[in-house]
């Protein structure tokens, strides 16, 4: 009788979780939209200011940094989405640093994935595109000849291939090493005294 009651409770809880997962979280959407706006403004302003006072080599370093940020956060977002809590519970019981944060990441995978992939990842892509446009302008001096056009196409193609190829490799790593990545992020959050 007790076992039937326990099964009924579990089924009810699972049903409620499914219903909750289908609902739209308006508050979260508002937070993520506002965060996206401010992050985009800050990152755009920072890159613009930095590019005005540096040479071409440093400009390329900044460009690759934005591409790398997009790829890294994409990996974290994928890892959070596919990872499970099981491994981290025993770690949390042994009070391993970062285990509780890792559990929080997995339980909030939808939000973490949205922030990492949609907010930081997409903004990094936009900023890297704008940065490459500034670099092209510097290198071609607004020229319209065939050489300027070819250089523009090569740089744009390289940025696209690095971003897409990097994210493709990153997704494979994020899926195959999901728990290790989530735990690493959890440990980083623990270092900064982040509590949840």
């Amino acid at each position: 009788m007790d076992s039937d009651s326990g099964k009924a409770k579990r089924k009810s809880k699972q049903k409620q979780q499914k219903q909750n997962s289908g609902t739209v979280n308006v508050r979260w959407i508002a937070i993520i939209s506002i965060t996206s706006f401010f992050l985009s403004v800050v990152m755009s302003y920072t890159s613009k200011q930095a590019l005005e006072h540096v040479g071409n080599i440093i400009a390329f370093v900044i460009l690759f940094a934005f591409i790398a940020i997009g790829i890294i956060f994409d990996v974290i977002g994928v890892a959070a989405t596919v990872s499970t809590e099981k491994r981290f519970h025993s770690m949390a019981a042994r009070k391993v640093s970062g285990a509780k944060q890792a559990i929080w990441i997995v339980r909030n995978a939808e939000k973490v994935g949205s922030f990492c992939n949609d907010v930081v990842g997409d903004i990094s892509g936009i900023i890297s595109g704008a940065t490459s446009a500034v670099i092209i302008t510097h290198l071609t001096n607004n020229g319209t000849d065939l050489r300027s056009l070819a250089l523009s196409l090569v740089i744009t193609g390289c940025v696209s291939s690095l971003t897409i190829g990097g994210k493709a490799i990153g997704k494979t790593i994020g899926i195959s090493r999901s728990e290790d990545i989530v735990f690493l992020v959890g440990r980083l959050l623990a270092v900064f005294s982040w509590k949840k």
Side-chain angles (χ1 to χ4, degrees), residues 78-140:
V78 170
T81 305
V82 301
S83 190
T84 58
E85 295 179 35
K86 189 176 179 182
R87 173 184 169 187
F88 305 121
H89 282 293
S90 61
M91 289 177 150
R94 288 181 277 119
K95 296 184 178 179
V96 176
S97 177
K100 287 183 180 179
Q101 287 81 0
I103 291 169
W104 183 89
I105 289 167
V106 175
R107 287 182 180 173
N108 293 275
E110 185 181 347
K111 292 179 180 179
V112 174
S114 179
F115 177 78
C116 291
N117 298 112
D118 301 330
V119 178
V120 179
D122 289 351
I123 290 171
S124 295
I126 293 164
I127 303 301
S128 63
T131 304
S132 63
V134 172
I135 292 169
I136 290 165
T137 304
H138 285 173
L139 291 174
T140 60

Side-chain angles (χ1 to χ4, degrees), residues 23-111:
T23 58
V24 177
N25 191 335
V26 179
R27 184 171 174 267
W28 170 247
I29 291 169
I31 290 169
I32 211 76
S33 298
I34 293 165
T35 304
S36 300
F37 173 79
F38 284 108
L39 267 178
S40 181
V41 169
V42 169
M43 289 173 77
S44 295
Y45 178 77
T46 304
S47 65
K48 186 180 176 183
Q49 290 295 110
L51 289 168
E52 283 179 0
H53 307 289
V54 298
N56 291 330
I57 294 172
I58 302 298
F60 273 107
V61 170
I62 292 168
L63 172 61
F64 292 136
F66 278 116
I67 293 170
I69 288 167
I71 293 168
I72 289 165
F73 274 85
D74 199 63
V75 170
I76 294 167
V78 170
T81 305
V82 301
S83 190
T84 58
E85 295 179 35
K86 189 176 179 182
R87 173 184 169 187
F88 305 121
H89 282 293
S90 61
M91 289 177 150
R94 288 181 277 119
K95 296 184 178 179
V96 176
S97 177
K100 287 183 180 179
Q101 287 81 0
I103 291 169
W104 183 89
I105 289 167
V106 175
R107 287 182 180 173
N108 293 275
E110 185 181 347
K111 292 179 180 179

